Amino acid sequence: MNFSELAKNLELEEDEYLELIQLLIETSRADLASIETAAGEQQSNEAASALHSIKGASGNLGLMEIYDLARQGEQVARNNAMDQLPGIIQGLKGKFSELAESAGV
């Protein structure tokens, strides 16, 4: 992942961008836990809200693979197709693991 290029696109220094990445990873852990709980309890609005948060933050940082998964998950939750969320949650966890490893977080 080219953090330098992503930072440049946002007119940030790479270290500033990496701080935002670290914050995204930390907040997304809590959001993913909320999504898992909401999925288990069939609370589609709560799941959609947490997915919307991940979608917005990742989109703002140019992390389009995470954005796309979160967008898909939000749509699934809004359509109350909660049985599809576990796969999306696993996909997001994998992407965040890759991101954390790349960022050295």
Side-chain angles (χ1 to χ4, degrees):
M1 185 163 293
N2 189 341
F3 293 119
S4 179
E5 185 68 29
L6 290 167
K8 182 180 171 186
N9 291 341
L10 296 175
E11 299 180 4
L12 295 171
E13 297 296 322
E14 188 172 349
D15 61 331
E16 295 171 318
Y17 183 81
L18 287 171
E19 286 179 31
L20 294 173
I21 292 294
Q22 184 173 358
L23 182 60
L24 171 67
I25 291 167
E26 291 170 8
T27 58
S28 292
R29 285 183 183 139
D31 284 333
L32 285 168
S34 296
I35 295 163
E36 286 182 310
T37 299
E41 296 175 359
Q42 299 296 306
Q43 297 175 335
S44 60
N45 288 336
E46 287 80 2
S49 178
L51 285 155
H52 182 80
S53 176
I54 293 172
K55 179 183 79 171
S58 61
N60 286 335
L61 292 174
L63 303 170
M64 301 317 291
E65 289 181 7
I66 294 172
Y67 170 87
D68 287 335
L69 273 173
R71 180 187 50 75
Q72 181 183 16
E74 182 182 11
Q75 192 65 36
V76 161
R78 294 210 186 281
N79 290 335
N80 207 22
M82 302 299 278
D83 60 320
Q84 295 177 26
L85 276 184
I88 293 169
I89 293 167
Q90 288 306 89
L92 284 167
K93 284 182 175 183
K95 292 295 176 190
F96 278 112
S97 283
E98 291 172 19
L99 180 63
E101 186 176 320
S102 294
V105 176

